[in-house]
Amino acid sequence: MAEFNPVESLTYAQSISELEAILRMMQSDNCDIDHLAAYTRRATELLKACRSRLTATEEELRDILSALSSENGGPAANA
């Protein structure tokens, strides 16, 4: 089984790439049942990190658009 880098050190793209690799491995005929639980835990960690990053980015974009809208005197943007 491969050693995993800490989730916090991965970019979003790296996390998605690793999730895709885990999914391909789980779907293959060569899935190592002895490591299945570890891969499932890792996939869960990666999904949580991706979801958190997406939520944080969404909130940041809302704040930016709201500030931009306020500067222009318009109504707050609905993101």
Side-chain angles (χ1 to χ4, degrees):
M1 186 169 70
E3 289 291 320
F4 297 123
N5 291 324
V7 173
E8 302 81 25
S9 71
L10 300 176
T11 65
Y12 182 82
Q14 289 170 325
S15 296
I16 293 296
S17 179
E18 189 174 333
L19 275 168
E20 290 171 344
I22 290 171
L23 181 60
R24 281 191 304 274
M25 184 274 307
M26 290 176 141
Q27 291 175 333
S28 78
D29 292 336
N30 299 325
C31 181
D32 186 349
I33 195 73
D34 295 323
H35 298 122
L36 186 58
Y39 282 116
T40 302
R41 278 192 299 276
R42 178 61 173 186
T44 300
E45 291 174 3
L46 291 165
L47 285 168
K48 286 179 183 178
C50 288
R51 184 178 294 140
S52 176
R53 208 171 266 182
L54 286 170
T55 300
T57 300
E58 179 182 27
E59 290 172 5
E60 185 177 0
L61 289 173
R62 281 187 184 153
D63 291 345
I64 291 168
L65 292 173
S66 178
L68 181 62
S69 180
S70 295
E71 289 176 7
N72 293 328
N78 292 327

Coordinates of all heavy atoms in Angstrom, one line a residue:
M1 N 0.8 -1.2 0.0 CA 0.0 0.0 0.0 C 0.9 1.2 0.0 O 1.9 1.3 0.7 CB -0.9 0.0 1.2 CG -1.9 1.1 1.2 SD -3.2 1.0 2.4 CE -2.3 1.3 3.9
A2 N 0.5 2.2 -0.7 CA 1.3 3.5 -0.9 C 1.2 4.3 0.4 O 0.2 4.3 1.1 CB 0.8 4.3 -2.0
E3 N 2.3 5.1 0.7 CA 2.2 6.0 1.7 C 1.5 7.2 1.3 O 1.6 7.7 0.1 CB 3.7 6.4 2.1 CG 4.4 5.3 2.8 CD 3.9 5.0 4.2 OE1 3.6 6.0 4.9 OE2 3.9 3.9 4.6
F4 N 0.7 7.8 2.1 CA -0.1 9.0 1.8 C 0.5 10.3 2.3 O 1.0 10.3 3.4 CB -1.6 8.9 2.3 CG -2.3 7.7 1.8 CD1 -2.8 6.7 2.7 CD2 -2.6 7.5 0.5 CE1 -3.6 5.7 2.3 CE2 -3.3 6.4 0.0 CZ -3.8 5.5 0.9
N5 N 0.5 11.3 1.4 CA 0.9 12.6 1.9 C -0.2 13.2 2.7 O -1.4 12.9 2.5 CB 1.1 13.5 0.7 CG 2.4 13.2 -0.1 OD1 3.3 12.7 0.5 ND2 2.3 13.3 -1.4
P6 N 0.1 14.1 3.7 CA -1.0 14.7 4.5 C -1.9 15.4 3.6 O -1.5 16.1 2.6 CB -0.2 15.7 5.4 CG 1.2 15.2 5.4 CD 1.4 14.5 4.1
V7 N -3.2 15.3 3.8 CA -4.3 15.9 3.0 C -4.1 17.4 3.0 O -4.3 18.1 1.9 CB -5.7 15.6 3.6 CG1 -6.7 16.3 2.8 CG2 -5.9 14.1 3.4
E8 N -3.6 18.0 4.1 CA -3.4 19.5 4.2 C -2.4 20.0 3.2 O -2.4 21.1 2.8 CB -3.1 19.9 5.6 CG -4.1 19.5 6.6 CD -3.9 18.0 7.1 OE1 -2.8 17.5 7.0 OE2 -4.9 17.5 7.5
S9 N -1.4 19.1 2.8 CA -0.4 19.5 1.9 C -0.7 19.4 0.4 O 0.0 19.8 -0.4 CB 0.9 18.7 2.2 OG 0.7 17.4 1.8
L10 N -1.9 18.8 0.1 CA -2.3 18.6 -1.3 C -3.1 19.8 -1.8 O -3.9 20.4 -1.1 CB -3.1 17.3 -1.4 CG -2.5 16.0 -0.9 CD1 -3.5 14.9 -1.0 CD2 -1.3 15.7 -1.8
T11 N -2.9 20.0 -3.1 CA -3.8 21.0 -3.7 C -5.1 20.3 -4.0 O -5.3 19.1 -3.9 CB -3.2 21.5 -5.1 OG1 -3.2 20.4 -6.0 CG2 -1.8 22.1 -4.9
Y12 N -6.1 21.1 -4.4 CA -7.4 20.6 -4.7 C -7.3 19.6 -5.9 O -7.8 18.5 -5.8 CB -8.4 21.7 -5.1 CG -9.8 21.2 -5.4 CD1 -10.7 21.0 -4.4 CD2 -10.2 21.1 -6.7 CE1 -12.0 20.5 -4.7 CE2 -11.4 20.6 -7.0 CZ -12.3 20.3 -6.0 OH -13.6 19.9 -6.3
A13 N -6.5 20.0 -6.9 CA -6.3 19.1 -8.1 C -5.6 17.8 -7.7 O -6.0 16.7 -8.2 CB -5.5 19.9 -9.1
Q14 N -4.7 17.9 -6.8 CA -4.0 16.7 -6.4 C -4.9 15.7 -5.6 O -4.9 14.5 -5.8 CB -2.8 17.0 -5.5 CG -1.6 17.6 -6.3 CD -0.6 18.2 -5.3 OE1 -0.9 18.7 -4.3 NE2 0.7 18.1 -5.8
S15 N -5.8 16.3 -4.8 CA -6.8 15.6 -4.0 C -7.7 14.9 -5.0 O -8.0 13.7 -4.8 CB -7.5 16.5 -3.1 OG -6.7 17.0 -2.1
I16 N -8.2 15.6 -6.0 CA -9.2 15.0 -6.9 C -8.5 13.9 -7.7 O -9.1 12.8 -7.9 CB -9.7 16.1 -7.9 CG1 -10.6 17.0 -7.2 CG2 -10.5 15.4 -9.1 CD1 -11.9 16.5 -6.6
S17 N -7.2 14.1 -8.1 CA -6.5 13.1 -8.8 C -6.3 11.8 -8.0 O -6.5 10.7 -8.5 CB -5.1 13.6 -9.2 OG -4.4 12.7 -9.9
E18 N -6.0 12.0 -6.7 CA -5.8 10.8 -5.8 C -7.2 10.1 -5.6 O -7.2 8.9 -5.6 CB -5.3 11.3 -4.5 CG -4.9 10.1 -3.6 CD -4.2 10.5 -2.3 OE1 -3.5 11.5 -2.3 OE2 -4.3 9.7 -1.4
L19 N -8.3 10.9 -5.5 CA -9.6 10.3 -5.4 C -9.9 9.4 -6.6 O -10.4 8.3 -6.5 CB -10.7 11.3 -5.2 CG -10.9 11.8 -3.8 CD1 -11.7 13.1 -3.8 CD2 -11.5 10.7 -2.9
E20 N -9.6 9.9 -7.8 CA -9.9 9.2 -9.0 C -9.0 7.9 -9.1 O -9.5 6.9 -9.5 CB -9.6 10.1 -10.2 CG -10.6 11.2 -10.4 CD -10.2 12.3 -11.4 OE1 -9.0 12.3 -11.8 OE2 -11.1 13.0 -11.8
A21 N -7.8 8.0 -8.6 CA -6.9 6.8 -8.6 C -7.5 5.8 -7.6 O -7.5 4.6 -7.9 CB -5.5 7.2 -8.2
I22 N -7.9 6.2 -6.5 CA -8.5 5.3 -5.5 C -9.8 4.6 -6.1 O -10.0 3.4 -6.0 CB -8.8 6.0 -4.2 CG1 -7.5 6.3 -3.5 CG2 -9.7 5.1 -3.3 CD1 -7.7 7.2 -2.2
L23 N -10.6 5.4 -6.7 CA -11.8 4.9 -7.3 C -11.5 3.8 -8.4 O -12.1 2.8 -8.4 CB -12.6 6.0 -7.9 CG -14.0 5.6 -8.6 CD1 -14.9 4.9 -7.6 CD2 -14.6 6.8 -9.2
R24 N -10.5 4.2 -9.3 CA -10.1 3.2 -10.3 C -9.6 1.9 -9.7 O -10.0 0.8 -10.1 CB -9.0 3.8 -11.2 CG -9.5 4.7 -12.3 CD -8.5 5.1 -13.3 NE -7.3 5.6 -12.7 CZ -7.1 6.9 -12.4 NH1 -8.0 7.8 -12.6 NH2 -5.9 7.3 -11.9
M25 N -8.8 2.0 -8.6 CA -8.3 0.8 -7.9 C -9.4 0.0 -7.3 O -9.5 -1.2 -7.5 CB -7.3 1.3 -6.8 CG -6.6 0.1 -6.1 SD -7.5 -0.6 -4.7 CE -7.9 0.8 -3.7
M26 N -10.4 0.7 -6.7 CA -11.5 0.0 -6.1 C -12.4 -0.7 -7.1 O -13.0 -1.7 -6.8 CB -12.3 0.9 -5.2 CG -11.7 1.4 -4.0 SD -12.7 2.6 -3.1 CE -12.4 2.2 -1.4
Q27 N -12.5 -0.1 -8.3 CA -13.3 -0.7 -9.3 C -12.6 -1.8 -10.1 O -13.3 -2.5 -10.9 CB -13.8 0.4 -10.3 CG -14.8 1.3 -9.7 CD -15.1 2.5 -10.6 OE1 -14.4 2.9 -11.4 NE2 -16.3 3.0 -10.4
S28 N -11.3 -1.9 -10.0 CA -10.6 -2.9 -10.8 C -10.7 -4.3 -10.2 O -11.1 -4.5 -9.0 CB -9.1 -2.5 -10.8 OG -8.5 -2.9 -9.6
D29 N -10.4 -5.3 -11.0 CA -10.4 -6.7 -10.6 C -9.3 -7.0 -9.6 O -9.3 -8.0 -9.0 CB -10.4 -7.6 -11.8 CG -11.6 -7.5 -12.7 OD1 -12.7 -7.1 -12.1 OD2 -11.5 -7.8 -13.8
N30 N -8.3 -6.1 -9.6 CA -7.1 -6.3 -8.8 C -7.2 -5.5 -7.4 O -6.2 -5.3 -6.8 CB -5.9 -5.8 -9.5 CG -5.7 -6.6 -10.8 OD1 -6.0 -7.8 -10.8 ND2 -5.1 -5.9 -11.8
C31 N -8.4 -5.2 -7.0 CA -8.6 -4.4 -5.7 C -8.0 -5.3 -4.6 O -8.4 -6.4 -4.4 CB -10.0 -4.1 -5.5 SG -10.3 -3.2 -4.0
D32 N -7.1 -4.7 -3.8 CA -6.5 -5.4 -2.7 C -7.5 -5.3 -1.5 O -7.5 -4.3 -0.8 CB -5.2 -4.8 -2.4 CG -4.4 -5.6 -1.3 OD1 -5.0 -6.4 -0.6 OD2 -3.2 -5.3 -1.1
I33 N -8.2 -6.3 -1.2 CA -9.2 -6.3 -0.2 C -8.6 -6.1 1.2 O -9.2 -5.5 2.1 CB -10.0 -7.6 -0.2 CG1 -11.3 -7.5 0.7 CG2 -9.2 -8.8 0.3 CD1 -12.3 -6.6 0.0
D34 N -7.3 -6.4 1.4 CA -6.6 -6.2 2.6 C -6.4 -4.7 2.9 O -6.2 -4.4 4.1 CB -5.3 -7.0 2.7 CG -5.5 -8.5 2.6 OD1 -6.4 -9.0 3.2 OD2 -4.7 -9.1 1.9
H35 N -6.4 -3.9 1.9 CA -6.2 -2.5 2.1 C -7.4 -1.6 1.8 O -7.3 -0.4 1.8 CB -5.0 -2.0 1.2 CG -3.7 -2.7 1.5 ND1 -3.0 -3.4 0.6 CD2 -3.0 -2.7 2.7 CE1 -1.9 -3.9 1.2 NE2 -1.9 -3.5 2.4
L36 N -8.5 -2.3 1.5 CA -9.7 -1.6 1.1 C -10.2 -0.6 2.2 O -10.6 0.5 1.9 CB -10.8 -2.6 0.8 CG -12.1 -2.0 0.3 CD1 -11.9 -1.3 -1.0 CD2 -13.1 -3.2 0.1
A37 N -10.1 -1.0 3.5 CA -10.6 0.0 4.5 C -9.7 1.2 4.6 O -10.2 2.3 4.7 CB -10.5 -0.8 5.9
A38 N -8.4 1.0 4.4 CA -7.4 2.2 4.4 C -7.7 3.1 3.3 O -7.7 4.3 3.4 CB -6.0 1.7 4.4
Y39 N -7.9 2.5 2.1 CA -8.3 3.4 0.9 C -9.6 4.1 1.1 O -9.8 5.2 0.7 CB -8.3 2.5 -0.4 CG -6.9 2.2 -0.9 CD1 -6.4 0.9 -0.9 CD2 -6.0 3.3 -1.3 CE1 -5.1 0.6 -1.4 CE2 -4.8 3.0 -1.8 CZ -4.3 1.7 -1.8 OH -3.0 1.4 -2.3
T40 N -10.6 3.4 1.7 CA -11.9 4.1 2.0 C -11.7 5.2 3.0 O -12.3 6.3 2.8 CB -12.9 3.0 2.5 OG1 -13.0 2.0 1.5 CG2 -14.2 3.6 2.8
R41 N -10.9 5.0 4.0 CA -10.6 6.1 5.0 C -10.0 7.3 4.3 O -10.3 8.4 4.5 CB -9.8 5.6 6.1 CG -10.5 4.9 7.2 CD -9.7 4.7 8.5 NE -8.5 3.9 8.2 CZ -8.5 2.6 8.2 NH1 -9.6 1.9 8.4 NH2 -7.4 1.9 8.0
R42 N -9.0 7.0 3.4 CA -8.3 8.0 2.7 C -9.2 8.8 1.8 O -9.2 10.0 1.7 CB -7.1 7.4 1.9 CG -6.3 8.4 1.1 CD -5.7 9.4 1.9 NE -4.8 10.3 1.1 CZ -4.0 11.2 1.5 NH1 -3.9 11.5 2.8 NH2 -3.2 11.9 0.7
A43 N -10.0 8.1 1.1 CA -11.0 8.7 0.2 C -11.9 9.6 1.0 O -12.2 10.7 0.5 CB -11.8 7.7 -0.6
T44 N -12.3 9.2 2.1 CA -13.2 10.0 3.0 C -12.5 11.3 3.4 O -13.1 12.4 3.4 CB -13.7 9.2 4.2 OG1 -14.4 8.1 3.8 CG2 -14.6 10.0 5.1
E45 N -11.2 11.2 3.8 CA -10.4 12.4 4.2 C -10.3 13.3 3.0 O -10.4 14.5 3.2 CB -9.0 11.9 4.6 CG -8.9 11.2 5.9 CD -7.5 10.7 6.2 OE1 -6.6 11.0 5.4 OE2 -7.3 10.0 7.2
L46 N -10.0 12.8 1.8 CA -9.9 13.6 0.7 C -11.2 14.3 0.3 O -11.2 15.5 0.0 CB -9.4 12.8 -0.5 CG -8.0 12.3 -0.4 CD1 -7.7 11.2 -1.4 CD2 -7.0 13.4 -0.6
L47 N -12.3 13.6 0.4 CA -13.6 14.2 0.1 C -13.9 15.3 1.1 O -14.4 16.4 0.7 CB -14.7 13.1 0.1 CG -14.8 12.2 -1.0 CD1 -15.7 11.0 -0.7 CD2 -15.2 12.9 -2.3
K48 N -13.7 15.1 2.3 CA -13.9 16.2 3.3 C -13.1 17.4 3.1 O -13.5 18.5 3.2 CB -13.6 15.6 4.8 CG -14.7 14.7 5.3 CD -14.3 14.2 6.7 CE -15.3 13.2 7.2 NZ -14.9 12.7 8.5
A49 N -11.8 17.2 2.7 CA -10.9 18.3 2.4 C -11.4 19.1 1.2 O -11.4 20.3 1.2 CB -9.5 17.8 2.2
C50 N -11.8 18.4 0.2 CA -12.3 19.0 -1.1 C -13.6 19.8 -0.8 O -13.7 20.9 -1.2 CB -12.5 18.0 -2.2 SG -11.0 17.3 -2.9
R51 N -14.5 19.2 -0.1 CA -15.7 19.9 0.3 C -15.4 21.1 1.1 O -16.0 22.2 0.8 CB -16.6 18.9 1.1 CG -18.0 19.6 1.4 CD -18.9 18.6 2.1 NE -19.2 17.5 1.2 CZ -19.3 16.2 1.6 NH1 -19.1 15.9 2.9 NH2 -19.6 15.3 0.8
S52 N -14.5 21.0 2.0 CA -14.2 22.2 2.9 C -13.6 23.3 2.0 O -13.9 24.5 2.2 CB -13.2 21.8 4.0 OG -12.8 22.9 4.7
R53 N -12.7 22.9 1.1 CA -12.1 23.9 0.2 C -13.1 24.6 -0.7 O -13.0 25.8 -0.9 CB -11.0 23.2 -0.6 CG -9.9 24.2 -1.0 CD -8.7 23.5 -1.5 NE -7.8 23.2 -0.5 CZ -6.6 22.6 -0.7 NH1 -6.3 22.1 -1.9 NH2 -5.8 22.4 0.3
L54 N -14.0 23.8 -1.2 CA -15.1 24.4 -2.1 C -16.0 25.3 -1.3 O -16.3 26.4 -1.8 CB -15.9 23.2 -2.7 CG -15.2 22.5 -3.8 CD1 -16.1 21.2 -4.2 CD2 -15.0 23.3 -5.0
T55 N -16.3 25.0 -0.1 CA -17.2 25.8 0.7 C -16.5 27.1 1.1 O -17.0 28.2 1.0 CB -17.6 25.1 2.0 OG1 -18.3 23.9 1.7 CG2 -18.4 26.0 2.9
A56 N -15.2 27.0 1.4 CA -14.4 28.2 1.8 C -14.3 29.1 0.5 O -14.4 30.4 0.7 CB -13.0 27.8 2.3
T57 N -14.0 28.6 -0.6 CA -13.9 29.3 -1.9 C -15.2 30.0 -2.2 O -15.3 31.2 -2.6 CB -13.4 28.4 -3.0 OG1 -12.2 27.9 -2.7 CG2 -13.3 29.2 -4.3
E58 N -16.3 29.3 -2.0 CA -17.7 29.8 -2.3 C -17.9 31.0 -1.4 O -18.4 32.1 -1.9 CB -18.7 28.8 -2.1 CG -20.1 29.3 -2.4 CD -21.2 28.3 -2.1 OE1 -21.0 27.3 -1.3 OE2 -22.3 28.4 -2.7
E59 N -17.6 30.9 -0.1 CA -17.8 32.0 0.8 C -16.9 33.2 0.5 O -17.4 34.4 0.5 CB -17.5 31.5 2.2 CG -18.6 30.6 2.8 CD -18.2 30.0 4.1 OE1 -17.2 30.4 4.7 OE2 -18.9 29.1 4.6
E60 N -15.7 33.0 0.1 CA -14.8 34.0 -0.3 C -15.3 34.8 -1.5 O -15.3 36.0 -1.6 CB -13.4 33.5 -0.5 CG -12.4 34.6 -0.8 CD -10.9 34.0 -1.0 OE1 -10.8 32.8 -0.8 OE2 -10.0 34.8 -1.2
L61 N -15.8 34.0 -2.5 CA -16.3 34.6 -3.7 C -17.5 35.5 -3.4 O -17.7 36.6 -4.0 CB -16.6 33.6 -4.8 CG -15.4 32.9 -5.4 CD1 -15.8 31.8 -6.3 CD2 -14.6 33.9 -6.2
R62 N -18.4 35.0 -2.5 CA -19.6 35.8 -2.1 C -19.2 37.1 -1.5 O -19.7 38.1 -1.8 CB -20.5 35.0 -1.2 CG -21.3 33.9 -1.8 CD -22.3 33.3 -0.9 NE -23.0 32.3 -1.5 CZ -23.5 31.2 -0.9 NH1 -23.4 31.1 0.4 NH2 -24.2 30.3 -1.6
D63 N -18.2 37.0 -0.6 CA -17.7 38.2 0.1 C -17.1 39.2 -1.0 O -17.4 40.4 -0.9 CB -16.6 37.9 1.1 CG -17.2 37.2 2.3 OD1 -18.4 37.1 2.5 OD2 -16.4 36.6 3.1
I64 N -16.3 38.7 -1.9 CA -15.7 39.6 -2.9 C -16.8 40.2 -3.8 O -16.8 41.4 -4.0 CB -14.7 38.7 -3.8 CG1 -13.5 38.3 -3.0 CG2 -14.3 39.5 -5.0 CD1 -12.6 37.3 -3.7
L65 N -17.8 39.4 -4.2 CA -18.8 40.0 -5.1 C -19.7 40.9 -4.3 O -20.1 41.9 -4.9 CB -19.7 38.8 -5.7 CG -18.9 37.9 -6.7 CD1 -19.8 36.7 -7.1 CD2 -18.5 38.7 -7.9
S66 N -19.9 40.6 -3.0 CA -20.7 41.5 -2.2 C -20.0 42.9 -2.0 O -20.6 43.9 -2.1 CB -21.0 40.9 -0.9 OG -21.7 41.8 0.0
A67 N -18.7 42.8 -1.8 CA -17.9 44.0 -1.6 C -17.9 44.8 -2.9 O -18.0 46.1 -2.9 CB -16.5 43.7 -1.2
L68 N -17.7 44.1 -4.0 CA -17.7 44.8 -5.3 C -19.1 45.5 -5.6 O -19.1 46.6 -6.1 CB -17.4 43.8 -6.4 CG -17.3 44.3 -7.8 CD1 -16.2 45.3 -8.0 CD2 -17.1 43.1 -8.8
S69 N -20.1 44.8 -5.3 CA -21.5 45.3 -5.5 C -21.7 46.5 -4.7 O -22.3 47.5 -5.1 CB -22.5 44.2 -5.2 OG -23.8 44.7 -5.4
S70 N -21.2 46.5 -3.4 CA -21.4 47.6 -2.5 C -20.6 48.8 -3.0 O -21.1 50.0 -2.9 CB -20.9 47.2 -1.1 OG -21.7 46.2 -0.6
E71 N -19.4 48.6 -3.5 CA -18.6 49.7 -4.0 C -19.3 50.3 -5.2 O -19.1 51.5 -5.4 CB -17.2 49.1 -4.4 CG -16.3 48.8 -3.3 CD -15.0 48.1 -3.8 OE1 -14.7 48.1 -5.0 OE2 -14.3 47.7 -2.9
N72 N -20.0 49.6 -6.0 CA -20.6 50.1 -7.2 C -22.0 50.6 -6.9 O -22.8 51.0 -7.8 CB -20.7 49.1 -8.3 CG -19.3 48.7 -8.8 OD1 -18.4 49.6 -8.8 ND2 -19.1 47.5 -9.2
G73 N -22.5 50.5 -5.6 CA -23.8 51.0 -5.2 C -24.9 50.1 -5.6 O -26.1 50.5 -5.5
G74 N -24.7 48.9 -6.1 CA -25.7 48.0 -6.6 C -26.1 47.1 -5.4 O -25.5 47.1 -4.4
P75 N -27.2 46.3 -5.7 CA -27.6 45.3 -4.7 C -26.5 44.2 -4.5 O -25.7 44.0 -5.5 CB -28.9 44.8 -5.3 CG -28.8 45.0 -6.7 CD -28.0 46.3 -6.9
A76 N -26.5 43.6 -3.4 CA -25.6 42.5 -3.2 C -25.7 41.4 -4.2 O -26.9 41.1 -4.6 CB -25.7 41.9 -1.8
A77 N -24.6 40.8 -4.6 CA -24.7 39.7 -5.6 C -25.2 38.5 -5.0 O -24.9 38.2 -3.9 CB -23.3 39.5 -6.2
N78 N -26.0 37.8 -5.7 CA -26.5 36.4 -5.3 C -25.7 35.4 -5.9 O -25.9 35.1 -7.1 CB -28.0 36.2 -5.6 CG -28.9 37.2 -4.9 OD1 -28.6 37.5 -3.7 ND2 -30.0 37.6 -5.5
A79 N -24.7 34.8 -5.2 CA -23.9 33.8 -5.8 C -24.4 32.4 -5.6 O -25.0 32.1 -4.6 CB -22.5 33.9 -5.2

